[in-house]
Amino acid sequence: MKNKFGPAITLGFALFAMFFGAGNLILPPFIGLKSGSEWFAAVAGFFTTGIIAPFLGVLTVVLFGTSFTDLGRKVNPFVVTVLAFLIMLCIGPIVAIPRTAAATYEIGIKPLLPGFNNVLFSAIFFAVVIFLSVSQSKIVDIIGNFLTPFLILSLGILVVMGIMNPPDVSKITGISTQESFVFAFHEGYQTLDVLASVIFAGIIISAAIDKGYTNSNDRFKITIAAGLISMVALLFIYGGLIYLGAHSGYPMSENISRTDLLLHISNEVLGKNGTVVISFAVALACLTTAIALSSAMGSFLEKFTFGKINYKVGVVLTCLVSAYFSVKSVEEIIDYAVVILGFVYPITFALILTLLFFGKIIFSKTPFIAAVATSALVASLSVFQHFNIFSESVEQINSWLPLSQHQLGWLIPSFLVFFITAAFNSGRKKHFKSINTD
C-alpha cells in the first residue's frame, strides 16, 4: 500500500503556497480592521469565498479529469478553452502575477531599502521566477518541500505572537455581524483563488501522477488530502491575520493602505524585527505564487498554441508582460482588477457548481452551456456598471436579481436556466423515444 502521508504533505503545502500570494496576505488584516469586534463573522465570510470555494474548484477538476480543459468533455471544448484563456490572463500576467511583485516591493523591499528602484526590483524578481520555473517537473517539490515550510513558519510566528500578545483590543466599528460576514465574503473574490483553483488542480494532479498515483481513485484521494491540508493551513493564517487586523489599533481613514496596515501589525507584534519577518514572509508568499502561476501560464500557452510557444518561452513571455504591469502599486492593480474579476468570476463559479452538483447525473452538454451563458450575461452587467453604460437600466435589472447585493446576482438565474434546459432536454428525448417506439 502506497504511503500517502509524505506526498500529501508535500502536495498540500505546495497547494497552500500556490494559493497564498499577495492578495491573501494583505486582504485579511484589512478585513479585520474594518470588522473590529465582529472579526469572527469576517473569518466565516472569508472562509467561504477564500477557502471553501477554491477547494470546490480543485474537487471539480479531479472529479472530471486531470486539468481544467478536460471539463470541455462535459460542457464544450471551445467554451472551456476560451474561459481557460480568460482565467489565465486574470491569474497570470494581467493581475495576479504583477500583484505578487508589487506587494513584495511595497512590503518586503521598500521599508528596508527605501531608495531601491521598483523597475530594477521587478527585473530581479522575475529573473528569479524564470530561473525557478523552467524545471516544470520539479516545481511542486521546490515549493512544497523547501519554500512553504519557511513561509508557514514566518507567518506562524507573527500570528501566534500576535494572538498571545495583541497590540490592542478589538473596537466596535459600527458594522454588524451580517455586514462583517458580507464584507469579508466580497473581499474573498480579490484573492482570485477560485479562478486559480481550477488551474492549480491540474498542477497538483500532474505532480501526483509523477509520484506514482496513476490510478484515478488513488489520484482523487491524494488530491483531496492535499486540498484539506491546504485548507487547514489557510484557515489558520487567514483567521490569525483577520484577528490581528481587528486588534491592530490602526487608525481608520478613507484611504487605508493595506500594505501599510500589514507593516504596522508586524512592527507592533514583533518590534523592530517585524519588518524583517514580514518582508521574508511576503517574499516567499509572492515568489511561490508567481512561480506556480508562471508555470501554469507556460503550460497553457504550449497547449493553446499546439507547441508553437513551448513551455520555457511561455514562462519568459509571461514574466515579461507581468514585469510591465508590476511597476504599478498594489492598490492600482486591485482597482483595475475589479472589473475583470466581476466578469470572469461568476462564469467560472457557475461552471464549477453546476458540474460539481450535476455533472455525474446530467450528461447533456446543453444545460451546462446555458448556465455558463446566463452567468456571462449577468456578469456583463458589472462591466456596464463600471463604465457607466446603460447605468439606469443596469441598476434596475440588479434590483430585480436576488442576491445581487452580495455580488451573486448570477447564481439563481444560472441555476434556473440550467434546470429549465435540463428539463426541456429530458422531455424532448422522451418525446423522440416515444415516436421511435410507435
Side-chain angles (χ1 to χ4, degrees):
M1 183 177 178
K2 188 180 286 292
N3 177 23
K4 294 185 175 67
F5 184 73
I9 291 292
T10 298
L11 295 175
F13 275 10
L15 188 57
F16 163 81
M18 290 176 188
F19 281 137
F20 199 86
N24 310 68
L25 189 57
I26 63 176
L27 291 172
F30 179 68
I31 292 169
L33 179 67
K34 294 273 285 186
S35 301
S37 58
E38 298 293 343
W39 63 270
F40 191 78
V43 172
F46 201 70
F47 177 76
T48 306
T49 49
I51 299 179
I52 291 292
F55 178 74
L56 295 180
V58 173
L59 180 59
T60 302
V61 174
V62 76
L63 276 172
F64 295 100
T66 59
S67 67
F68 179 63
T69 50
D70 286 343
L71 302 185
R73 294 196 297 264
K74 288 293 299 180
V75 185
N76 177 280
F78 177 76
V79 170
V80 171
T81 300
V82 171
L83 181 56
F85 183 73
L86 292 175
I87 291 172
M88 289 309 306
L89 288 179
C90 288
I91 69 170
I94 305 299
V95 179
I97 300 178
R99 196 169 66 180
T100 62
T104 306
Y105 175 74
E106 289 184 22
I107 304 173
I109 302 299
K110 197 174 179 181
L112 298 174
L113 302 169
F116 201 90
N117 184 270
N118 67 332
V119 176
L120 176 60
F121 168 76
S122 183
I124 295 171
F125 181 88
F126 285 107
V128 174
V129 172
I130 291 172
F131 176 76
L132 294 175
S133 300
V134 290
S135 181
Q136 188 176 10
S137 62
K138 296 181 180 178
I139 284 175
V140 169
D141 286 337
I142 290 171
I143 295 175
N145 290 333
F146 300 105
L147 299 180
T148 309
F150 288 107
L151 169 60
I152 293 178
L153 178 63
S154 56
L155 289 172
I157 291 171
L158 176 64
V159 169
V160 172
M161 293 289 289
I163 292 174
M164 290 175 62
N165 187 27
D168 202 346
V169 296
S170 61
K171 294 180 172 59
I172 298 175
T173 58
I175 184 171
S176 67
T177 302
Q178 181 181 357
E179 289 170 335
S180 181
F181 177 91
V182 170
F183 173 69
F185 183 94
H186 292 172
E187 286 289 294
Y189 291 146
Q190 277 285 356
T191 64
L192 282 75
D193 283 349
V194 169
L195 304 184
S197 68
V198 295
I199 305 301
F200 288 162
I203 297 176
I204 295 299
I205 294 168
S206 177
I209 293 172
D210 289 341
K211 292 181 183 297
Y213 296 90
T214 53
N215 179 274
S216 60
N217 189 47
D218 289 341
R219 192 167 62 236
F220 175 82
K221 289 178 179 178
I222 194 71
T223 303
I224 296 305
L228 292 173
I229 290 169
S230 70
M231 286 176 68
V232 172
L234 286 169
L235 179 59
F236 169 68
I237 300 298
Y238 286 158
L241 290 174
I242 290 174
Y243 176 87
L244 292 181
H247 293 78
S248 64
Y250 197 77
M252 290 287 293
S253 64
E254 289 185 6
N255 299 310
I256 297 173
S257 169
R258 293 169 175 83
T259 54
D260 288 346
L261 171 60
L262 185 60
L263 285 169
H264 168 82
I265 290 171
S266 63
N267 289 327
E268 286 292 313
V269 172
L270 301 174
K272 61 181 181 180
N273 296 319
T275 302
V276 176
V277 173
I278 202 64
S279 297
F280 183 69
V282 167
L284 283 176
C286 293
L287 185 62
T288 52
T289 299
I291 292 168
L293 293 173
S294 298
S295 172
M297 191 69 190
S299 297
F300 178 79
L301 286 174
E302 187 173 51
K303 292 179 182 177
F304 190 73
T305 61
F306 302 101
K308 292 179 180 178
I309 298 177
N310 66 37
Y311 171 77
K312 292 182 180 179
V313 173
V315 168
V316 172
L317 288 175
T318 298
C319 288
L320 289 175
V321 176
S322 300
Y324 172 79
F325 285 103
S326 69
V327 296
K328 296 179 180 292
S329 70
V330 171
E331 297 296 331
E332 285 177 315
I333 294 172
I334 289 175
D335 286 342
Y336 78 68
V338 170
V339 64
I340 303 172
L341 298 179
F343 179 73
V344 180
Y345 230 98
I347 302 172
T348 307
F349 219 163
L351 179 62
I352 288 172
L353 292 177
T354 51
L355 276 175
L356 190 60
F357 294 139
F358 307 108
K360 295 290 187 180
I361 57 176
I362 293 179
F363 302 101
S364 172
K365 295 180 179 181
T366 308
F368 298 102
I369 296 173
V372 168
T374 303
S375 62
L377 188 62
V378 176
S380 65
L381 297 176
S382 66
V383 179
F384 293 149
Q385 193 170 33
H386 181 82
F387 292 106
N388 290 320
I389 301 172
F390 309 125
S391 54
E392 290 185 6
S393 299
V394 169
E395 285 182 14
Q396 189 172 17
I397 294 172
N398 279 331
S399 68
W400 296 337
L401 291 173
L403 304 177
S404 62
Q405 69 273 29
H406 303 314
Q407 299 179 15
L408 291 171
W410 55 271
L411 185 61
I412 292 178
S414 297
F415 272 86
L416 186 61
V417 170
F418 178 89
F419 292 136
I420 292 172
T421 309
F424 175 76
N425 271 7
S426 177
R428 187 174 61 174
K429 286 180 180 178
K430 289 179 180 177
H431 173 70
F432 283 121
K433 187 176 180 181
S434 65
I435 291 176
N436 292 333
T437 303
D438 294 340

